[in-house]
Amino acid sequence: MATAVGGLVAFAVLVSAALVAGRLAANRAVDNLVDQARAGLPLATATLAGEIEKQRLIPLTLARDPDVIALLETYDANAEANLDRKLKDIAEDAGSTVIYVIGADGRTLATSNFNEPDSFAGVKFPFRHYFRDAMTHGVGMQYAQGAVTARPGLFLSRRVDGTKAPLGVVVVKVELDGVEKAWRASGALVSVINEEGVVIGTTIPDWRFSTLSALKEPENGTVREHLQVVDDTPLTPVPIRQQGELTIAEIDGKPTALVGTSRSVGRPAPGWRLMLLLYADPIITRARLDGQITGVLAFALLIVLGRITWRRRQLQAARRAALTQINTELEERVEERTDQLKRANLALAAEIAERENAETKVHRLRDELAQANRLSILGQIAAGVAHEMNQPLAAIGVYAHNAKCYFESGKSDSGVDSLGQIAALTEQIANKTEALRSFARRAPSAATVLTIDDAIDGALSLLSGRVREAGVAVIIPSRDPSFRVMASRIRLEQILVNLLQNALDALRGRPHPRIEIQHAASAGNVQLIVHDNGPGLDPTIRTMLFMPFATSKENGLGLGLVISSEIARELGGYLELTPSDEGACFTLTLPRVGQ
């Protein structure tokens, strides 16, 4: 009877231990999933923000296009046909769904889908928010259902100003299929929620135009009018609910446990939030099972130890020597287990320290990559610099010989003049050497206020030998000391040297090679433009121009533009490829100081 009761108690304790261990393991699995979601959220956000920023440049550029302005000022059927084809080419290159130009009365005058069944040609859009906002405030942004195609998308607009009044609006529509495809490839459930709490972009099509909470009248009508959805589109709540740290969602008709987090999209889409969810069911189930097995094994170990202790007490009198041996073995096992726990604690502490230092390592690796880029550049221009030094060195030898002869013949004034020439040439060599040494320095100088012209002079000084050898005409702007920025001169020169090196490579073997450097100022920024008359960039390279290891050069690494873009962001600006009728044109935009 006592044995049976003891067995039942042991079984009950075993079940309890397994349940507790499984619950603790499941909680740890949920915490790990939350960390994974937080780590993946910035990349998902950057994918959406990058697409919006890329598409926003199209109406900004076209609003200043002479062809657009001419058509809006005086309608002409031939001009419309030419502009239709131009918009179609731009839309195909940029991956835009459709680009169209609307007159001040709201009627579409030119469109990239002019030859498609659902063309926007002649359709009036005065009721669209993006049209009204652009005409009133200059810019507009609206996610809505298409009035002609019924396909939802993001509309970005820009007003076209005339001399006396607004002429019309340039609009680009982009459907987020590519962004959603990239999200879907990550294996996560990603949704974009606008400022009104409506899901407008998602990897789950059934959730589109659903709401985070039930809408009431007249709120329902307001939201429906802003999204301009058809009347039979239900704005029903998303089928999700919170259960502790888990999010339970109805997917394909069955409840699914998810874990995730959300964050604001930021400046590209004010008021929008990105929600990223990870599937939790299989991971939690596996973690719970592992924990239960561990709990059972631990409890079984306790039972074994108890049994050994009980047997030791029963046989103590007769088997004292054997009991001593058993105690020794048990102590060794405990010591081994303690040592394992210590090692596990040390490993955990090392992992925590590694995570805390991850960001520091990233910055250090980025600096080392930039340093490697500078050294690579120096390797490419070293031969040219050495050739430039040969001439002043030879001149120094001639002047030294002349000075010796002058002094021996008593012509001290002429000898002094020769020594002066030697000093000037020595200073020239020293300046060139110092420029190379500063550019190769591992730790760039601190940010200071400097003019754009100083950075241009430094970059051209480093590349003067290669420019002269290639026979390239370099056109530089008139000096303007008011174009000042806050930057490290070495880092700014590194961007310019990368751009000039790429231009020189593109111009190799071209007739009448030319590089034109310009600077301009607008909206509190300074823009530095490097434009060559080379063959330009292949369309397949443009889409991944600032991605690591993407290059059109046979021996190129594809890191120069990536590093330059990262340095530009560190300086508070950005580097972009701008449209050009000839060759390649890059624009560096930095905040202006001292206005």
Side-chain angles (χ1 to χ4, degrees):
M1 184 64 180
T3 303
V5 172
L8 289 174
V9 171
F11 179 75
V13 174
L14 177 62
V15 172
S16 299
L19 292 175
V20 171
R23 187 178 301 112
L24 292 175
N27 291 339
R28 286 195 299 271
V30 170
D31 293 339
N32 290 335
L33 282 173
V34 171
D35 292 339
Q36 293 177 26
R38 288 172 179 167
L41 192 58
L43 179 58
T45 304
T47 302
L48 174 63
E51 180 66 14
I52 294 174
E53 292 290 17
K54 181 185 74 173
Q55 298 294 335
R56 182 172 278 133
L57 292 174
I58 296 173
L60 172 64
T61 303
L62 289 175
R64 305 167 186 169
D65 189 277
D67 295 338
V68 174
I69 295 173
L71 181 65
L72 289 173
E73 287 179 339
T74 305
Y75 176 79
D76 179 81
N78 292 331
E80 177 190 350
N82 292 334
L83 187 55
D84 284 342
R85 290 190 293 271
K86 181 177 182 179
L87 296 180
K88 181 177 178 64
D89 292 340
I90 295 174
E92 291 175 351
D93 290 342
S96 308
T97 303
V98 61
I99 305 172
Y100 50 107
V101 177
I102 304 175
D105 60 351
R107 186 172 68 88
T108 302
L109 300 181
T111 176
S112 63
N113 64 356
F114 65 93
N115 59 343
E116 298 177 10
D118 53 359
S119 171
F120 290 4
V123 179
K124 289 190 174 183
F125 296 105
F127 58 92
R128 285 295 201 176
H129 289 274
Y130 61 78
F131 173 77
R132 299 202 300 264
D133 290 345
M135 289 295 290
T136 304
H137 306 294
V139 294
M141 174 177 175
Q142 179 186 10
Y143 188 93
Q145 193 169 37
V148 177
T149 64
R151 290 180 57 83
L154 177 62
F155 296 84
L156 301 168
S157 59
R158 194 83 178 187
R159 184 177 66 205
V160 181
D161 291 322
T163 56
K164 297 181 179 180
L167 300 175
V169 174
V170 178
V171 187
V172 59
K173 177 185 178 183
V174 55
E175 297 173 3
L176 301 179
D177 295 347
V179 175
E180 292 173 355
K181 181 178 179 182
W183 289 340
R184 200 173 291 112
S186 70
L189 304 183
V190 185
S191 298
V192 183
I193 300 97
N194 68 5
E195 64 273 14
E196 295 167 325
V198 180
V199 177
I200 57 176
T202 177
T203 56
I204 304 178
D206 292 342
W207 287 12
R208 196 183 312 278
F209 291 137
S210 297
T211 61
L212 293 185
S213 59
L215 299 177
K216 300 178 181 179
E217 294 297 342
E219 184 182 13
N220 186 294
T222 302
V223 173
R224 187 179 296 276
E225 191 279 332
H226 189 264
L227 295 174
Q228 297 183 332
V229 295
V230 296
D231 293 338
D232 59 351
T233 301
L235 299 179
T236 56
V238 178
I240 60 175
R241 57 185 172 85
Q242 288 298 126
Q243 182 176 310
E245 293 187 356
L246 296 178
T247 299
I248 308 301
E250 290 287 337
I251 300 178
D252 296 331
K254 60 182 180 180
T256 303
L258 305 165
V259 174
T261 183
S262 66
R263 67 176 288 178
S264 170
V265 176
R267 183 177 61 84
W272 288 16
R273 294 192 65 79
L274 198 74
M275 178 174 65
L276 187 146
L277 301 172
L278 299 176
Y279 287 100
D281 278 330
I283 295 176
I284 292 177
T285 300
R286 185 169 61 251
R288 183 180 290 113
L289 179 60
D290 292 343
Q292 290 172 349
I293 293 174
T294 302
V296 169
L297 292 176
F299 184 73
L301 179 60
L302 291 176
I303 293 177
V304 171
L305 292 176
R307 180 67 177 172
I308 291 174
T309 302
W310 180 79
R311 288 292 297 168
R312 184 186 63 182
R313 289 178 178 177
Q314 293 294 319
L315 302 175
Q316 186 174 10
R319 302 176 62 184
R320 190 175 300 277
L323 183 59
T324 302
Q325 181 63 30
I326 292 174
N327 284 335
T328 302
E329 292 177 359
L330 288 175
E331 290 175 358
E332 290 176 353
R333 292 180 184 178
V334 171
E335 182 178 354
E336 181 181 355
R337 182 58 179 165
T338 302
D339 185 58
Q340 292 175 355
L341 291 174
K342 289 180 179 179
R343 289 197 298 269
N345 286 335
L346 291 175
L348 180 60
E351 182 179 352
I352 292 173
E354 183 178 354
R355 290 184 178 181
E356 291 176 348
N357 292 332
E359 186 174 353
T360 302
K361 290 180 179 179
V362 169
H363 286 297
R364 186 172 65 250
L365 290 173
R366 185 176 58 198
D367 290 341
E368 290 177 355
L369 187 59
Q371 173 68 8
N373 177 252
R374 287 197 297 273
L375 293 179
S376 174
I377 292 171
L378 287 177
Q380 297 175 27
I381 65 176
V385 173
H387 179 74
E388 287 190 62
M389 289 186 179
N390 284 337
Q391 184 177 357
L393 287 173
I396 287 174
V398 172
Y399 281 120
H401 176 74
N402 290 343
K404 178 175 180 290
C405 294
Y406 284 139
F407 282 120
E408 287 177 351
S409 62
K411 298 179 181 179
S412 59
D413 290 341
S414 298
V416 170
D417 290 341
S418 294
L419 292 178
Q421 294 293 335
I422 291 173
L425 291 171
T426 303
E427 183 178 359
Q428 179 182 345
I429 294 174
N431 290 337
K432 181 69 69 174
T433 305
E434 178 61 24
L436 288 173
R437 190 166 64 88
S438 297
F439 189 79
R441 188 174 295 121
R442 184 177 185 83
S445 59
T448 59
V449 176
L450 63 128
T451 67
I452 291 293
D453 295 316
D454 291 339
I456 294 174
D457 292 342
L460 290 176
S461 175
L462 291 170
L463 292 171
S464 58
R466 187 178 175 188
V467 170
R468 185 165 47 255
E469 180 182 348
V472 176
V474 179
I475 303 172
I476 60 176
S478 300
R479 301 188 69 86
D480 191 335
S482 67
F483 288 173
R484 295 183 294 176
V485 297
M486 176 66 70
S488 163
R489 177 165 179 169
I490 294 175
R491 287 188 178 274
L492 187 53
E493 286 181 359
Q494 186 172 358
I495 297 176
L496 289 174
V497 169
N498 271 322
L499 296 178
L500 291 171
Q501 288 260 78
N502 289 343
L504 289 170
D505 291 340
L507 293 171
R508 186 177 293 116
R510 301 283 296 182
H512 311 296
R514 185 185 75 255
I515 299 175
E516 185 174 356
I517 303 174
Q518 301 174 331
H519 50 41
S522 63
N525 293 326
V526 174
Q527 293 177 328
L528 181 59
I529 304 165
V530 178
H531 185 193
D532 64 64
N533 64 341
L537 294 171
D538 190 276
T540 58
I541 293 297
R542 295 180 186 177
T543 58
M544 52 183 180
L545 194 59
F546 294 98
M547 295 182 182
F549 311 114
T551 179
S552 59
K553 303 177 184 178
E554 293 184 1
N555 300 321
L557 295 178
L559 295 176
L561 287 177
V562 176
I563 295 171
S564 298
S565 179
E566 182 65 23
I567 293 174
R569 281 195 292 270
E570 287 182 2
L571 299 179
Y574 56 89
L575 177 64
E576 61 183 340
L577 174 68
T578 51
S580 174
D581 295 334
E582 180 185 33
C585 182
F586 286 87
T587 301
L588 172 65
T589 302
L590 295 175
R592 188 177 184 180
V593 298
Q595 296 187 63

